[in-house]
Amino acid sequence: MITLAITSQKGGVGKTTLAINLAYAFALSGKKTLLVDSDPQGSVGLSLTRQSRNLAGLYDFLGDPVISLEEIVVPTRSEAFSLVASGQGSDYEMNEGLAGSSRHRLRIFLADVKAAGFEICIIDTAAGLFGVTADVLAACSGVIVPQQAEPLGVRSVPKMLEALARMRSVNPHLEVLGVVLTMVQASLDESRESAMALRSILPEEMVLRSEIPRDDLFIKASARGLPVGVMPEGSGALKIFDQLRGELELKLRLRSKTS
Ligand SMILES: Nc1ncnc2c1ncn2[C@@H]1O[C@H](COP(=O)(O)OP(=O)(O)O)[C@@H](O)[C@H]1O
Ligand SMILES: [Mg+2]
């Protein structure tokens, strides 16, 4: 099973949007896909399932050894696509005492996900590399870093990638798959220039070729709790996420050949 974390230093860069739409692209390609929300303030479950009540989720599982995977996996309208919401235990993040034990419980979670037949597990995270996100990175096989194409944002990316590379001392299997440029505005010089600046300061293989354009459709889709590809006008966006999926699968295949 492939486990991919979506992380960034800052909030609002498009992590959740990327996680939802990439997971949907994997599911459409026929892979049994699980989307997991590890952001205690996350709303993946609420929005995608349009549930008004809070679903039990990852934090319940991490905090209570009696809870099973079956109890927290929620099906969606797409056959191959299920999700696990972040759940109720959001005070967990505040409690440093629990952070150490979450790593062990998270490994159990992922082993159960694999045993349930999932082929790919995409984990959306809260901004920053601490707390449960650090535990997620300690257990994942790959990490993707969405970065908004805007002038001030791109300068911090090399430091973020260095910090992720250091995580490999804890998890030697962690592959930094690269940065995905998000909210790219082709019509805006500053946006195009910051995308180019990022490509010029990082090694070529560290910035994925697929770029996510800025499009109001993403805001409309998230208001309806849908992957953008489900929207009537969403076929263009769907193609982009499918391209990104293909790029990531190729990288992961090459890695498994060389390791
Ligand atoms: N490509 C995009 N074009 C336009 N709006 C976007 C795009 N990606 C995300 N957004 C919007 O920006 C906001 C933040 O995105 P989100 O995915 O929640 O970021 P994060 O999870 O990093 O905080 C949301 O309102 C989302 O709908
Ligand atoms: Mg988010």
Side-chain angles (χ1 to χ4, degrees):
M1 182 178 71
I2 297 164
T3 43
L4 294 181
I6 316 281
T7 54
S8 71
Q9 204 85 61
K10 285 203 306 182
V13 298
K15 282 184 296 301
T16 300
T17 304
L18 177 63
I20 291 174
N21 289 287
L22 186 61
Y24 184 64
F26 270 105
L28 279 189
S29 80
K31 289 234 157 51
K32 191 171 173 190
T33 305
L34 185 67
L35 172 63
V36 178
D37 189 355
S38 77
D39 181 351
Q41 276 154 29
S43 52
V44 163
L46 291 181
S47 64
L48 274 184
T49 58
R50 314 219 74 191
Q51 296 261 5
S52 53
R53 72 187 170 87
N54 280 330
L55 297 165
L58 181 69
Y59 285 89
D60 303 274
F61 186 97
L62 296 183
D64 183 351
V66 173
I67 291 185
S68 70
L69 181 68
E70 263 179 10
E71 292 172 73
I72 56 171
V73 170
V74 182
T76 73
R77 272 179 281 176
S78 304
E79 169 85 32
F81 187 15
S82 305
L83 62 91
V84 168
S86 70
Q88 314 293 299
S90 52
D91 53 336
Y92 183 99
E93 185 79 346
M94 316 285 168
N95 188 341
E96 280 302 310
L98 278 171
S101 65
S102 88
R103 197 166 288 186
H104 175 65
R105 192 67 185 142
L106 200 58
R107 284 188 196 286
I108 295 175
F109 172 77
L110 290 175
D112 289 354
V113 171
K114 187 176 175 188
F118 287 98
E119 292 163 278
I120 174 139
C121 176
I122 294 189
I123 309 183
D124 188 19
T125 68
L129 295 181
F130 44 82
V132 172
T133 301
D135 292 339
V136 167
L137 291 169
C140 275
S141 44
V143 54
I144 307 167
V145 181
Q147 174 59 50
Q148 211 171 324
E150 46 104 17
L152 291 178
V154 299
R155 274 185 255 157
S156 62
V157 176
K159 279 216 157 58
M160 171 72 177
L161 293 177
E162 282 164 27
L164 285 172
R166 282 197 296 276
M167 295 291 305
R168 294 177 69 138
S169 62
V170 180
N171 174 7
H173 303 291
L174 182 71
E175 172 100 342
V176 182
L177 289 163
V179 178
V180 177
L181 281 156
T182 63
M183 307 194 208
V184 180
Q185 280 175 281
S187 60
L188 189 70
D189 290 346
E190 287 77 2
S191 178
R192 270 200 327 273
E193 282 161 15
S194 43
M196 270 161 45
L198 187 71
R199 289 187 187 280
S200 71
I201 55 176
L202 293 178
E204 194 184 343
E205 70 278 8
M206 267 299 115
V207 190
L208 288 138
R209 280 194 301 278
S210 314
E211 296 181 355
I212 316 299
R214 181 182 283 279
D215 189 332
D216 290 345
L217 201 56
F218 287 99
I219 298 171
K220 289 188 184 154
S222 55
R224 287 169 181 73
L226 295 171
V228 73
V230 175
M231 306 280 286
E233 319 88 324
S235 61
L238 191 58
K239 211 178 267 170
I240 292 166
F241 284 103
D242 194 53
Q243 224 168 49
L244 178 60
R245 174 199 60 79
E247 233 188 306
L248 292 168
E249 282 198 305
L250 189 64
K251 278 198 157 190
L252 288 161
R253 262 206 302 280
L254 288 176
R255 180 195 57 169
S256 66
K257 272 201 193 122
T258 53
S259 63

